[in-house]
């Protein structure tokens, strides 16, 4: 039987038939350096508009146990992206892009709480995914799956995009809400939905919390993301089979047999052994990395893959994000999850996001 794979976005998606020959390409091959950056919310007025949309009552109800539908891959003939482009700095050298990034603790804690959820809209429908804060010189970068920030089918970035680290089960935001400022991705995702590049780095604005006042709520600035929760490091060009990885996320969707073992309200992890190459012709995935014995379901999309994870510090090094979940034996349960391969081009895209600046204090 042919294995099946699905988006891990918190949504019920149509399955895609996949083939699983082992990828035989060379690790650290020289991919094209094509970064595409799109504005999400640029000005303080934009930030306030997004914030007002995600009032506490809406956040509390934005976490259903049964997710809705989400974007699917774009056909190869999809139009050029139409969202407003972001001005980006000069390209970094590939030597610099390939260098690892050290994880960072938050300023006032001895352990990081980087993992959380992103909430957003495509059209008139709301969605959510998993994500994590990443160490960066602007102290304001979130890593997630590209399909959790940009729909290549519509050639459009997500609307009302926010990141909530360490979310409570009833919509609480103990570490603040961070409105997306811009999303950096590979143009082969934005142009044709190539799953080799189903990852994105989102630069976020300073965070805020809702504070009750006069029967309503006002925004209270809480500072930069990394200062509050810390940031995971990054390691690139790691050949599958040579390291162990822990995958994290908030799974919620149904298993192939229709059961719902996860409710999307608590953080889950798959800690397994070495990874391996995988591919999927129908999704243009040629250099995917697969982690076996992981039963994540939709909702875990964008959650981090961490190597060298230290549970006492809550930190490791990002080496992938949840992209697709797999039913390899075509039975009633997901049994693997995969990520795009994180290589030097990934480092270039990350460094573009880390170089973006955002306005000052939230008001």
């Amino acid at each position: 039987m042919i294995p099946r794979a699905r988006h891990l976005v918190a949504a019920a998606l149509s399955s895609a038939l996949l083939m699983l020959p082992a990828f035989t390409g060379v690790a650290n091959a020289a991919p094209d350096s094509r970064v595409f950056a799109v504005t999400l919310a640029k000005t303080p007025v934009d930030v306030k508009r997004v914030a007002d949309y995600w009032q506490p009552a809406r956040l509390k109800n934005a976490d259903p146990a049964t997710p809705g539908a989400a974007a699917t891959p774009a056909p190869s003939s999809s139009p050029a992206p139409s969202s407003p482009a972001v001005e980006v700095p000069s390209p970094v050298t590939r030597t610099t892009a390939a260098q690892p990034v050290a994880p960072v603790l938050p300023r006032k804690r001895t352990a990081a709480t980087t993992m959380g959820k992103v909430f957003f809209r495509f059209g008139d429908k709301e969605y959510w995914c998993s994500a994590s804060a990443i160490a960066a010189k602007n102290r304001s970068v979130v890593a997630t799956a590209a399909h959790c920030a940009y729909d290549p089918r519509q050639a459009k970035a997500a609307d009302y995009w926010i990141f909530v680290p360490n979310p409570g089960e009833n919509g609480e935001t103990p570490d603040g809400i961070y409105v997306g400022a811009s999303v950096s991705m590979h143009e082969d995702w934005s142009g044709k939905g190539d799953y080799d590049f189903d990852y994105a780095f989102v630069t976020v604005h300073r965070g805020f919390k809702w504070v009750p006042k006069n029967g309503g709520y006002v925004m209270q600035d809480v500072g930069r993301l990394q200062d509050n929760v810390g940031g995971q490091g990054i390691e690139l060009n790691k050949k599958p089979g040579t390291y162990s990885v822990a995958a994290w996320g908030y799974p919620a969707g149904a298993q192939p047999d229709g059961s719902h073992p996860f409710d999307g309200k608590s953080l889950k992890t798959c800690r397994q052994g070495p990874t391996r190459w995988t591919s999927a012709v129908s999704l243009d995935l040629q250099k995917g990395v697969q982690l076996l014995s992981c039963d994540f379901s939709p909702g875990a999309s964008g959650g981090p893959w961490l190597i060298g994870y230290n549970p006492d510090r809550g930190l490791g090094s990002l080496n992938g994000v949840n992209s697709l979940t797999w039913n390899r034996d075509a039975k009633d349960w997901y049994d693997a999850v995969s990520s795009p391969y994180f290589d030097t081009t990934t480092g270039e895209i990350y460094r573009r996001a880390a170089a973006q600046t955002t306005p000052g204090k939230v008001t």
Side-chain angles (χ1 to χ4, degrees):
M1 299 181 71
I2 301 174
R4 301 175 77 87
R6 295 179 67 178
H7 285 287
L8 283 170
V9 69
L13 301 174
S14 57
S15 299
L17 295 177
L18 305 180
M19 300 180 67
L20 295 172
F23 175 68
T24 57
V26 179
N28 200 19
D32 293 334
S33 304
R34 296 177 290 180
V35 184
F36 183 69
V38 178
T39 297
L40 296 177
K42 185 176 182 179
T43 68
V45 172
D46 295 332
V47 173
K48 187 64 164 59
R49 174 181 58 85
V50 175
D52 284 343
Y53 181 83
W54 293 109
Q55 292 274 345
R58 187 182 295 273
L59 275 174
K60 182 177 181 179
N61 295 322
D63 221 2
T66 305
T72 55
S76 59
S77 59
S78 62
S82 60
S83 298
V86 173
E87 182 178 349
V88 294
S90 299
V92 298
T93 66
R94 290 183 66 76
T95 299
T96 299
Q99 292 177 354
V101 175
V104 176
L105 284 168
R107 287 188 171 178
K108 297 181 180 180
R109 300 180 186 174
T110 58
T113 53
T114 66
M115 301 173 211
K117 295 179 180 179
V118 297
F119 299 86
F120 54 95
R121 280 185 16 174
F122 281 127
D124 60 355
K125 295 182 179 180
E126 296 175 357
Y127 308 99
W128 58 268
C129 285
S130 303
S132 183
I134 307 302
K137 65 180 182 180
N138 63 8
R139 312 196 306 278
S140 303
V141 171
V142 174
T144 190
H147 70 259
C148 300
Y150 191 93
D151 184 356
R153 182 182 54 183
Q154 302 179 59
K156 186 178 180 182
D159 295 319
Y160 300 99
W161 196 101
I162 62 170
F163 175 56
V164 179
N166 191 28
E169 293 191 358
N170 295 305
E172 299 91 347
T173 59
D175 293 311
I177 299 169
Y178 301 81
V179 175
S182 64
V183 53
S184 297
M185 72 200 96
H186 195 283
E187 69 176 16
D188 280 359
W189 175 264
S190 61
K192 61 179 182 177
D194 184 343
Y195 273 78
D196 283 329
F197 305 103
D198 185 21
Y199 55 80
F201 295 95
V202 180
T203 306
V204 295
H205 291 272
R206 291 173 65 94
F208 72 93
K209 288 183 179 180
W210 287 117
V211 178
K213 183 176 181 179
N214 298 329
Y217 294 92
V218 295
M219 297 169 65
Q220 181 182 81
D221 182 90
V222 297
R224 296 288 178 190
L225 174 65
Q226 182 176 304
D227 296 339
N228 294 325
V229 305
Q232 302 295 338
I234 296 181
E235 286 201 34
L236 307 170
N237 299 310
K238 301 284 288 185
K239 183 179 179 180
T242 64
Y243 61 92
S244 294
V245 66
W248 303 79
Y250 291 84
Q255 293 286 337
D257 65 0
S259 64
H260 285 81
F262 308 116
D263 62 8
K265 293 185 177 182
S266 58
L267 183 66
K268 303 296 182 183
T269 183
C270 289
R271 299 189 187 187
Q272 302 297 332
T275 53
R276 70 177 190 179
W277 294 111
T278 192
S279 60
V281 175
S282 63
L283 296 179
D284 206 10
L285 179 69
Q286 302 176 54
K287 52 178 184 177
V289 182
Q290 192 174 75
L291 173 65
L292 303 179
S293 301
C294 185
D295 61 354
F296 280 168
S297 60
S301 271
W305 285 27
L306 301 176
I307 58 178
Y309 180 74
N310 182 327
D312 293 329
R313 289 162 51 92
L315 293 174
S317 292
L318 186 75
N319 189 235
V321 295
N322 298 319
S323 172
L324 296 167
T325 187
W326 298 72
N327 182 8
R328 297 177 306 115
D329 57 9
K331 293 184 178 179
D332 294 333
W333 209 261
Y334 292 122
D335 55 13
V337 66
S338 69
S339 166
Y341 179 53
F342 271 32
D343 56 16
T344 301
T345 290
T346 313
E348 291 178 306
I349 295 169
Y350 152 76
R351 290 180 188 277
R352 292 293 186 89
Q356 299 298 319
T357 59
T358 57
K361 187 174 180 180
V362 173
T363 57

